[in-house]
Amino acid sequence: MRKKTVQTSSTKSNAKSNTKSNTKSNARNSVKSSVKSSAKNSPQKAVKTVAPTVENVSVKQAAIIQEPSVEQNEQNIPTRQPDLGPRRSVAFIGSECYPFVKTGGLGDVMSALPKSLAKLNIDVKVIIPRYKCIPQKFQEKMEYRGSFDMNLCSDGKQYYVGIMEYQEDGVVYDFIDNDEFFSWGNPYTNLIDDIPKFCYFAKAALAALNYLNWTPDVVHCHDWQAALVPLYLRTCFQDTDVGRAISVLTIHNLKFQGIYDRKKIQYWSGLPDYVFNKDCMIQNWLDANMLKGGIAYSNKVTTVSNTYAWEIQTEEYGEGLAEHLRYHNNKILGIVNGIDTDIWNPATDKLLAADYDEKSAIKNKKINKKALQESLGLDVDEHKMVIGLISRLTNQKGLDLVNDVIPGIMDEHTQVVVLGTGDSQYENTFRYYENNIKAISVHILLTMKMWLTIFMQDVMHFWFHQDLNHVDLHSL
C-alpha cells in the first residue's frame, strides 16, 4: 500500500506540473508568435509592440517580450549542454589521481576529466590504488564498501581486494585496498615490484565493478599500469556484466611500457596463453609488453595531442612500438590535454601574491613577478625578463637544447627559474649554472606549494568539449 501511494502521489504531482508547464509554454509561444508577427508586419514599430492579454501569463513573462527585436531574443537564449542521448557511465582506471596522489600529468587528467564529464550528467567512477602515501585527511573520509578474494595468478592464488569509497564534485572515487601491494610510500618503485602490483590492480578494478554491480558503458584506462584492463575485459571478464564495456586506452608517455620477463607477467596476470604472441603481448621473444597488449585489445587509443599521436607512429619516437601502432592507426586519436579551470584560476588563486584577470593582468603580474624574484633571491627588477622552466628533467623534454642555449641568452637583462626533478645529469648541469650565474635559480626538490606558486598561467582553456568533438561515446 505504501509503494502504491508513493507512485500515485508522484503521478498526480507530475500531471499537475505538466499541466502547469504546458499552460505556461502555450502562453509563451502565443506571445512569441504575436511578437514575431508584429515585427514582421511593422518592422519600424517592433519595439513598441505590446503583447496581447493572455491568461496565466506572469508579469515577468510579459516583460520579456519587450526586447528590441526578435534577433536579440534569439541571441539571449542560454547555451545548452551537448545532447549525449541516454545517460552514460564511464569508469576511469589509473595509477594516480590528484589530489590523492600525483607524480605528473596523468594525475591531472584523472582529476579534471571525470569532473568535467560529471557536469555533463555522465555517471563517473574513478578507480585507483589505495596507496599509503595518500594524505590522511582523505583516508579518514573514505567509506568501506566491501571486500572479497580474487584469483590472480596462473596457479589460482587468491588475493584480498578491499574497496574504499570517497565522493566529491559529483565523482565517486573507489580505492583498491591491499597492503601487500600498496603499502609502499610511493606509487612507483621498480619493475620487479610494479609488475605484480599493476597486474593485480587492473584485474581487481574490474572485479570491484562487478562486485559493486556497477556496469560502465566505457572503461577508460591510462598508461601501462592499467593497460591490462582491455585484455581482462575480453578474456577473464568477457562473460560478466563489465565485459560489455567499451575500452579506451590513453597513452600519456610511450617511453614507459611495462616490459618485463614473459613468464613473470604470464604468471602474475593469469591471462590465457593465446594473448602472448608477437602481435599482442610478446616483444623481443623473451619479454612481454603490457602496453602493447593494451593497444591491441582496446577499442580506442588516445594520446595527449594530435602531434604526439602522429609522432609515436614514427621510428624516431615510436619507442619500439611504431610498427604495432601503425597497424592499429585506425583507432588512434589525439586529444589535447587541458586543465581544471576551477583550480588553475589566477582570479581566485590564494597562492598568488596578487590575483588577476584579463583586466588586471598587466598590473598585478608585475606584483607577482616581484614576489617571485624576492622569494628566490634574484635581483628585484621589473625590467628584467624572467624565463621559467617547469618540467621533469629528462631527455624527452629537449633539455639538451636548453642547456646549450642558456649561456648564450644570459645577460644583465635576463633571469631563469628552473623547477623540477629527474636525471642527475640535468640536475647537476642546472646546479652548475646556478652556482656560476647569479641570475639563475634552480629548485630541484620541489613542494606542491612552490610548484603552484611558480606556475602562473595567463590563459586557460576548458578542454573536455574537445573530447566530445572527437570521441562519440555511442560509436566507440
Side-chain angles (χ1 to χ4, degrees), residues 92-96 110 126-131 150 152 174-177 181-182 194-207 222 225-227 229 232:
F92 287 83
I93 301 177
S95 57
E96 57 185 80
M110 286 281 289
V126 176
I127 303 178
I128 65 172
R130 188 190 182 191
Y131 302 110
M150 177 188 72
L152 177 64
D174 284 334
F175 297 84
I176 302 300
D177 186 25
F181 292 107
F182 305 129
D194 287 349
I195 292 296
K197 177 195 306 182
F198 292 112
C199 286
Y200 163 84
F201 171 65
K203 191 171 186 179
L206 296 178
H222 297 259
Q225 292 89 350
V229 168
Y232 281 128

Side-chain angles (χ1 to χ4, degrees), residues 35 107 109 164 168 184 189 233 252 349 386 457 471:
V35 173
V109 173
M164 303 296 291
E168 186 175 283
W184 300 90
T189 51
L233 276 175
H252 296 266
D349 195 338
V386 178
Q457 291 229 348
V471 180

Side-chain angles (χ1 to χ4, degrees), residues 13 16 31 39-40 60 74 77 90 92 187 191 200 222 238 266 276 352 355 369 378 393 402-403 410 441:
S13 176
K16 186 175 180 181
V31 173
K40 191 172 184 180
K60 291 184 178 180
E74 294 175 350
I77 296 175
V90 181
F92 287 83
L191 275 179
Y200 163 84
H222 297 259
Q238 63 177 342
Q266 194 166 6
F276 291 89
L352 295 176
D355 295 338
K369 178 179 177 180
L378 299 173
L393 304 182
V402 175
N403 288 337
M410 294 309 302
S441 178

Side-chain angles (χ1 to χ4, degrees), residues 2 6 32 49 97 178 207 214 249:
R2 183 179 179 185
V6 173
K32 186 174 181 181
T49 300
C97 176
N178 184 297
W214 199 89
L249 172 63

Side-chain angles (χ1 to χ4, degrees), residues 401-411 432-433 437 440:
L401 300 175
V402 175
N403 288 337
D404 288 342
V405 301
I406 280 184
I409 65 174
M410 294 309 302
D411 55 29
Y432 169 81
Y433 286 138
I437 305 176
I440 292 183

